[in-house]
Amino acid sequence: MKELKILVVNNYGQFCHLIHRAVRDLDMDTKIIPNTTPIEDILAEEPDGLILSGGPEMDRAGLCFDYVREIDLPILGICLGHQAIALAYGGHVHSGKKGGYAEVEVEVLEEDDILRGLGPKATVWASHADEVAILPEGFIHLARSDICEIEAMRHPTKPIYGVQWHPEVSHTEKGEELLTNFLEICEKY
Amino acid sequence: MVKPEKFIPKAVEKISKEIKDGRAIIALSGGVDSSVCAELAHRAIGGRLQPIYIDTGLMRKGETERIKHIFSHMNLDIVYAKDRFLAALKGITDPEEKRKAIGETFIRVFEEEARKLEADYLIQGTIYPDRIESEGGIKSHHNVGGLPSVMDFKKIVEPIEDLYKDEVREVAWALKLPDEICERMPFPGPGLAVRILGEVTEEKLEVAREANSIVEEELLDRFCPWQTFAAVIGKGTGVKGDIRAYGWIIAVRAVGSRDGMTAEALELPWDVLKKLESRITSEIPKVARVVYDITPKPPATIEFE
């Protein structure tokens, strides 16, 4: 795979720098940017894709809603980034009945491009109290767990994907594969 | 990954260029980050580097002696400041307030030493995740925006600011630093204070220090955990020699991790847990019971505070 430029949008999650590290270790050009970076500055960097990191609260998600609606690039939302995508397209987010912490077994409903090679079940690591409660209209439900019904999703037509778990942490099984899948999506786009 | 054979000469050259013929100081903790910075700077500017080690009284057993020995070639300035740190911690129970009190006391003590030495430059062991976490408000790192904000230096030099912890270790090996530095388990900046729930007292410190020493002896070499330690988490009723005793409760922690960001408790054999309990309760008379913490990160952090 050729070297791609991937911008990691910092939503102030504790694992943000691990996304940068994981992508860098896949031999990509990567950089962490504040979630207040204007869209024109992002486009001036000529990135091949964006990854929206997790974070503590939606109030600090900066311009993420604008990014996912207006930037024509592959986008992967992780944890809060996944929830931001859902909200930006009219979905609903609420507190889960149970928080998802540490080891969670995810059932892959549809592999699509993003979860290729991860099914039928994968052990992942999560850290969230909130979750996507209702999918945005037309979005495709890709994975679920006993903790959280909407663990992964994708936009019906655009290369926009969300996962509730953290593929960037070392305890997630096949986290690198998921990120590699995203990079392949970016390369093809 | 970093290529140490390329990184080291570049870093040494960068430090030389930035400091020129000035004098620099570094707060040396004995951790891998500050040790690597000290060694790189020593290669760059030699005797114009003054490392300062502050013994806060919150260190592990034998730590100060170890550091004195390892860095004997560097004209190390050791400041014994235990009384000041304990005074600053008196009556404080809130974890963040404790960190703040330790951080501020550290800055004051460091500042006093720095003024005596008339250094122009400060060398800091900031690494890449420190910057990201501090910018995001996740964790206040006292080497990001702490010391510089209260002191006037011509420049702050951060030789390893783009490296991750495992990369710093690679550089440490390449610099031929002793194994005990290269492989040193992470130890929190505030020291044993964050392994004592509630107020930090001389008695609790002594108990924590001894318990940590036992846990390290029993688990380090045999199980190679990412981190293992003991914490004083409160008091409970025990019975020793037919007498009811109200003694300290020690929690033992041993976790596996790649980078400290996520962690799992090690599944220690029952006989090992029993030996830990037996040694801790018999060798530290003031301890009434021992528990083993099995919580992963998340939802827990590795340290208790």
Side-chain angles (χ1 to χ4, degrees), chain B residues 210-223:
Chain B
E210 288 303 319
N212 270 275
S213 178
I214 291 168
V215 168
E216 286 184 23
E217 276 173 33
E218 292 295 333
L219 302 183
L220 258 188
D221 293 341
R222 189 171 161 195
F223 297 98

Side-chain angles (χ1 to χ4, degrees), chain B residues 69-82:
Chain B
H69 172 70
I70 292 167
F71 295 98
S72 56
H73 65 297
M74 270 192 207
N75 179 35
L76 182 62
D77 177 21
I78 298 181
V79 184
Y80 294 92
K82 174 184 169 182

